Amino acid sequence: MSPAPDERDRIRAAMNRILSGEPEHSNGALTIVALAAEAQVPRNALTQRHPDLKNDFYDQVRARGQMPDSERRLRQQVRRLKELRAADAEGIARLKADVEALVGALHQSVIENRVLRQKLSEGSGVVRVLPQRRDGDTAHPLRPI
């Protein structure tokens, strides 16, 4: 499909209307989609046939101290992702600390168990074997049943 002879003029006129805040055929957003709708041309007219006009539009938006809507959305998404990444890093740090504490407790229990088994096998010291808990017993595990 070949472009209409007045396509570039329609795009320039649409740029002026959007940038002046007086759109007629679009929502006036600072996007290529809105510019194409305002110029009543297909979007690929800006992305493929007239990329210079697309770039000029974005340059004019930035020159006015504004930010294109697509860039604003991407910046918001980047900010949210950075916040999520920071929260994940905190969670991972807490989990690592928990793992270290649990490994330490397990190591302590293994050592104590080894000492108790050694005392039991040597017959030295007093080691009391607690009765096994039965299902449904609610007795405290350290008190004899």
Side-chain angles (χ1 to χ4, degrees), residues 10 33 74 140:
R10 289 188 353 225
V33 173
L74 286 172
H140 190 278

Side-chain angles (χ1 to χ4, degrees), residues 10 16 21 23 31 97 122 124 130 136-138 143:
R10 289 188 353 225
N16 291 333
T31 64
E122 292 173 355
S124 63
L130 298 176
D137 283 347
T138 58
R143 291 190 197 121

